[in-house]
Every structure is written in structure tokens, then in C-alpha cells.
Amino acid sequence: MPKPSAGRVPEARSAVGEGAPVARASAGGRPAQEGILRRQSLRESAARTYARSLPIVPVRARGLTIEGADGRRYLDCLSGAGTLALGHNHPVVLEAIRKVLDSGAPLHVLDLATPVKDAFTTELFRSLPSGLADRARVQFCGPAGTDAVEAALKLVRAATGRTGVLAFTGAYHGMTAGSLDASGGAFDVRVTRLPYPQDYRCPFGVGGERGTELAARWTESVLDDPKSGVRTPAGMILEPVQGEGGVIPAPDAWMQRMRQITAERSIPLIADEVQTGVGRTGAFWAVEHSGVTPDVMVLSKAIGGSLPLAVIVYRDSLDVWEPGAHAGTFRGNQLAMAAGTATLAYVRANGLADHAARLGARMLSQLRQLAQRVPYMGDVRGRGLMIGIEMVDPEGACDRTSGPAGAVPSTPHPPAGATSTPEAAHGPHPAAPGLAVAVQRECLRRGLIVELGGRHGSVVRLLPPLTITDEQAAAVLDRLADAMEVVARTHADRPCQAGHPGHAGRPGHIGRTGHARHHRPGPPQQPTGPPPPPGAAGAQGDS
């Protein structure tokens, strides 16, 4: 990994960041945490999500590491659902925020021009795909990614004079009305839904290149058949990697076909890079893997450097809006722009996208080796440091309507460069959301925070910061393997509690990933070895 530029590590925060031992929690630590959690459950909305599965109270954080109110440490592979490209409280981000605060600059300016905003826009345009940067416009939206999706849909409708939208099964674009319409969980659908290609649960039951081709042909048929019931739409919106849909990378060939199909029919292509952007998938923007240049890019999460910020970037030919056509009181977040500028520049200057590609490929390879011994791990897939493990009932009835057809592959898993694991001819096993929940719970007991997602909530997701080191990655995989082992032992002699009919699996000993000693249930143990020097990528995490 390229040597990062040095950054000042604030002395008051260096203990957590540099791996110094955490002081034992005071006698009141755990009761205080329990009181906070109890009051949250009494006062907050029933819509809260992460708080239900992660009953911790973070009080300090640095890099990969979170410290709870009870004094326990956790390795955070949730990263604010992908928001924290540099992890928690990276020195360059803190320095950028302090500089704005100490300067006396206004913190709220609506959409007025400021030096902070100009610096952010300049750095953002420097990072854009070359085919877009030269003719781009940027619209600052409300602080959440869902508002940027709304802005993108509104923009293409205004530019084309059309209303319909093409979206894909399994998509997630946000929680406001228009964003939900384009997402996979919509009920009152006003958007045409198209098949998203995937190998493990292919909608056509074939997977691979054939499944990708069929998905593309379906799209062409819907658009070209005068009796399909679908008029030429205002735009197509897609995710280069479906995150909430289960960490499903779009095949590069399919992305290229979608670009060709939309360009030939004058349909603007919208790429939702809210979670995939800023190096997450091993390229600065995930569309760069396929060489595709979209007409509109939706950006949020990591571009704000951990603070709320959302924008759309689009071709200047689409810029037909009247003044005030899309606005928001908090679209001028100066602290987020400063933090975002620092993050974008740091990721670019230190080659963190390349680091994510190399380390992510290694982690995928090691997880696939583990999956060969763990029948509950039905599929391991991802791109860069966006990794998913689909949990299944290995003895449940196979789904004959999905998964690739043909002979059983000669090896159970593809090489590291591939994106997902082909299943045998009989199709994939039933999803096991109960096992995924159990793995998440056992991970938390070992001091590892992971997210769940996927169609059935059966995918264990890893979204570590891009600054994660090799040693930290080894610690993450070791704790995850321990959790898998305990869950496998627990469920080996009982019916699979997967939410689907099935039978008990009887896996053997899972084995290690070859990184560290076996961890038993109990307080989370910390990775061993000397911490990286201050200023190095990953130094702000626990190593």
C-alpha cells in the first residue's frame, strides 16, 4: 500500500487509535450503558434498526475501533453503512473540520459560494470519470442520499419531458417516496422493474454469462416491444453493486450493455454510487470497473467525510432546471464539505482504492476457502472492501427456479477476481436469515460489528474502512470464522432456524483462516502486534 501523508494525531485521542489498552470499565460503566439503551427503547421510534441488533453505546472511536460505554472495544466493519471511508475520526478529517471552526467562517450558507465549497467541488471534479468531469454540473441536495436520488429522478424527468423510470429488482435507493418506488421493497410501484443479473440466485436459473445476456435482452424487449406496456422512460437508475440487495456486483458486460441500450434510445443512465463510491469497490467510482460513463451520478455517504452531504453530478446537457427547482435548507453543509474534501484527496493521494482492491480480493479468497468447509456459507461475493456472505440451510430443499444450470463446477469457488460463487446444477439452498442473525450476534460477542442485508436478510456484510491494514483484516476474519464455528456447532444438531423449511445441517469443524489463535466466547480480544506509526493508513484503528 502506498505510504500515506503524515497527519497530526491529537494527543487526547491517540490512545484508542494506537492500540493502547483500554482501561477497565468503572463499576458504573455497564449500568450506565444499560440505562442509556433502556431509555432509547422507551423514547425512540419503533423504526430504529441498527440499535436493535447492536446493543452498544459508542463513546470513543478511532479508525476501525469503537469503544463502548462499558469499556469494551469493537472492530467496526459497518463503517456507518459505508460512510466512513477513512474510519472513525481520521486525523485529516478532524484537522479539516477544526480549520473551518477556527476560521470564523459561516457554517450555514444555503447555496452561496464559499471557499470551502469551491475547494470541495474542485476536488470532486478531479475524481470524476473523465467522460463526465469535462461536461459536468453539480447540484447540492439535502444531506441524505435519498434526497439526491429524488433530485436525479426529478432532473431526468425535467430534461426528457417523460415520467417513467427503469429500476431493478433488489435495488435500494433510499427511504423517501420516489426513492422507495425505485427500490426493491416498493409496494405501490410506479416504476418498471427489470431483472438484476446475479449468479447465485439467477432470476432465469442459469447464471453466468448466459444469465447476464438474458437480463440485457429482457431490458431491450421491454423497451422495444410496442405491446410491453412500458413507454420510453425518463431514465434508468442502477447500482453498480447492490448493497442492501445482498452485495451483488453487476457484471461489467451487463453494465456496458445497459449503457449501450440507454444511449441508443436517448434514456439518461443514473448510477447510484451512494455506497459504492470513493474507493469502496477497488476503483474510485464503481462504474469505472466497466468503463461506463453515466449521465447522472448520485453521491453521498463517504463524500462527506463522515458528515451529512449529498450531491448529484450530471451532464451539462441535462441542466434544464429553473432556479429553485430542487432546493434544501441544509444543502450548504460547510463542515461536511471540508471533511469531504480531505477524504476525497486522501483516498486519491494514498491509493486507497487500489488498496481496497488488493485487500478485498485477499479477504474474498480466504472467506471462500473457509466456505469450502462451512456448508452454511452458501455464497461469498463482493468487490473491493464491499463483501457479503449469504447464509443458507445446506440440507434444505434447493431452489430450482434460480441458480445456474449445467454441470457442477470443478471447484466450489471462483478465483479471487470473480464476483460470486456459482452453485451446482440443482440450484442454491434456501436462505437462512436466522443463521445470519446468529452469526452477527456471535461476532458482536467477539468484538466485531457486521451488518446484515440481502433479499431475506441472510447476507452477512463487511464494510470496513479503506484504511484497514492487513493485520486488522486478519483479526476481522479470525473473529468472523470463530463466530461461524460457534453457530455451526449450535445448529448442527437442531433444525435450521432459517425462516424456511429445511433440515439440520451437520458441518464438521470449520477450521481457522490461518491468522490467529482460536477465540472463545467472551469479552472481545484485541489483535496483537505493534501498532502502525502515527499518520500511516490504518494507524487510527486498533491493530
Side-chain angles (χ1 to χ4, degrees), residues 7-18 58-67 76 79-80 83-98 304-307 339 342-343 346 465 467 534-542:
R8 182 174 64 87
V9 180
E11 293 181 2
R13 295 172 173 81
S14 62
V16 172
E18 295 180 21
V59 293
R60 279 177 291 276
R62 190 66 174 272
L64 183 67
T65 306
I66 287 177
E67 182 186 341
D76 181 13
S79 299
T83 299
L84 304 172
L86 304 184
H88 295 275
N89 293 327
H90 193 282
V92 302
V93 172
L94 297 182
E95 184 178 356
I97 293 172
R98 289 194 190 96
S306 75
L307 298 179
T343 297
Y346 193 91
T467 51
Q540 69 281 6
D542 195 23

Side-chain angles (χ1 to χ4, degrees), residues 238-473:
L238 56 78
E239 299 161 275
V241 180
Q242 286 195 344
E244 302 304 318
V247 192
I248 303 175
D252 291 342
W254 178 81
M255 288 285 295
Q256 293 161 3
R257 285 289 296 279
M258 293 304 102
R259 175 67 287 187
Q260 178 186 1
I261 289 169
T262 53
E264 290 175 350
R265 294 159 180 80
S266 299
I267 301 170
L269 178 63
I270 305 168
D272 183 340
E273 292 254 17
V274 168
Q275 192 168 97
T276 56
V278 195
R280 169 62 56 190
T281 68
F284 208 99
W285 308 108
V287 293
E288 293 177 320
H289 290 292
S290 59
V292 164
T293 302
D295 300 294
V296 185
M297 293 178 65
V298 180
L299 313 176
S300 188
K301 290 191 184 292
I303 66 162
S306 75
L307 298 179
L309 187 64
V311 305
I312 58 171
V313 181
Y314 53 92
R315 294 188 185 278
D316 55 6
S317 59
L318 298 175
D319 197 25
V320 299
W321 273 343
E322 297 294 330
H326 195 82
T329 302
F330 294 102
R331 64 193 185 277
N333 190 334
Q334 297 293 283
L335 294 181
M337 291 177 189
T341 302
T343 297
L344 292 170
Y346 193 91
V347 170
R348 177 179 54 80
N350 292 284
L352 293 190
D354 291 337
H355 173 66
R358 290 193 299 269
L359 186 54
R362 190 182 314 148
M363 293 176 72
L364 280 169
S365 177
Q366 291 168 351
L367 286 168
R368 285 170 179 151
Q369 292 174 28
L370 178 64
Q372 292 179 12
R373 305 187 297 274
V374 186
Y376 292 121
M377 296 172 65
D379 192 36
V380 177
R381 54 186 180 251
R383 202 156 203 174
L385 290 174
M386 192 172 181
I387 297 171
I389 306 160
E390 184 166 346
M391 304 301 293
V392 300
D393 173 9
E395 295 191 11
C398 294
D399 181 0
R400 298 183 183 275
T401 64
S402 62
V408 177
S410 58
T411 57
H413 297 286
T419 57
S420 70
T421 303
E423 184 53 277
H426 52 261
H429 292 288
L435 292 180
V437 170
V439 169
Q440 183 186 47
R441 183 169 55 244
E442 291 297 334
C443 283
L444 192 65
R445 292 184 64 197
R446 285 154 181 76
L448 175 62
I449 297 173
V450 298
E451 187 179 11
L452 302 183
R455 263 65 164 184
H456 305 284
S458 60
V459 178
V460 178
R461 302 183 59 198
L462 299 177
L463 291 165
L466 308 187
T467 51
I468 185 174
T469 65
D470 290 356
E471 187 179 19
Q472 291 170 338

